[in-house]
Amino acid sequence: RVQHILEELERRREQAKAGGGEKRVAAQHAKGKLTARERIDLLLDEGSFEEFDMFVEHRCADFGMQDQKVPGDGVVTGWGTINGKVVYVFSKDFTVFGGSLSGAHAAKIVKVQRQAMKVGAPIIGLFDAGGARIQEGVDSLAGYADIFLENVMASGVVPQISVIMGPCAGGDVYSPAMTDFIFMVKDTSYMFVTGPDVVKTVTNEVVTAEELGGARVHAAKSGVAEGAFENDLEALTQVRRLVDFLPSSNREPAPERDSFDEAFREEPSLDTLIPADPTKPYDMKELILKVVDEADFFEISSEWAKNIICGFARMDGETVGVVANQPQVLAGVLDIDSSRKAARFVRFCDAFNIPIITFVDVPGFMPGTKQE
């Protein structure tokens, strides 16, 4: 009798794990993207993932949706560890209703967000979705409102990291925009409020998804994304690296690492790094790499506002935030973008009690009508 129940449970688990079915999974792989569960496996320590709400289904009875139900409803949620540190994760499943958001789908995400706040652990969202589920109308929009509220409540309390791993539009970009860090994947991920088709209809402007909201645009031009990576694997590996630098919440110190760098080591090359002639540029990044532990520096927004450098490093094993002018770009001058980039970074460090080290070499603020 019990055996029968266990077999049925196993069958249902397999069904939930299959997502939208083989065909759709194959289509996902053909685009160079991994499935929601494969991404979680790469992000978290092996065997550490504990899933919530595996069998949740939507409650919509309109437009024939009552006959289309998939367990999990397009998002995989739960918690696991990254190098032993607890994190909460939700990963949108593009193979189920295009990853679109329903009331039930939103409730799953909100549950994880609230749990992370209670426990004091980072929240990582893996996005790959087409916005709201139209069939549910106001329900799905209300679901977004609930998620946004949690984003706001969690801001400055636990680190929030978003990884854009597919075409994301509408609601699926408002929420990441409110989080602390956004990573994108080149060529497969896009972020826009309205897609190319809507733009063409309304303004007659012809634009590709890549030009409108691709990883390169957001990493270099708009400053929306903190990093753009080659593929899913690289993006998730970098998220793991970032989480290693951060405290779990604003109530805890950042993790300390054993450092193999002698605190009093000498670095004679620094004597000659800065040229005697003040008009000659030099690479500030070289200075940072030589000063921090093991030359391990995690740069934030490296492609945007390059005249200022922001990122995380360790000194004597403890996490620090680094802000530095970069004389190689525009002579290290301050402008609107670089000021915004530095301010955003400093604000994050302030919320999470991360000490800041500033390297200053700046001619002043950029003159001109645009800047004023």
Side-chain angles (χ1 to χ4, degrees), residues 55-83:
F55 305 116
V56 166
E57 293 175 345
H58 68 76
R59 298 179 290 279
C60 175
D62 303 319
F63 307 106
M65 287 300 281
Q66 64 274 16
D67 307 323
Q68 298 181 44
K69 292 199 173 182
V70 179
D73 208 39
V75 64
V76 184
T77 60
W79 67 275
T81 59
I82 289 181
N83 292 332

Side-chain angles (χ1 to χ4, degrees), residues 224-254:
V224 167
E226 268 69 37
F229 302 108
E230 293 303 323
N231 51 41
D232 285 11
L233 174 62
E234 196 195 341
L236 295 166
T237 309
Q238 294 300 331
V239 173
R240 282 182 66 97
R241 198 174 145 220
L242 172 61
V243 169
D244 265 355
F245 282 102
L246 306 180
S248 291
S249 74
N250 63 3
R251 308 190 287 274
E252 284 178 40

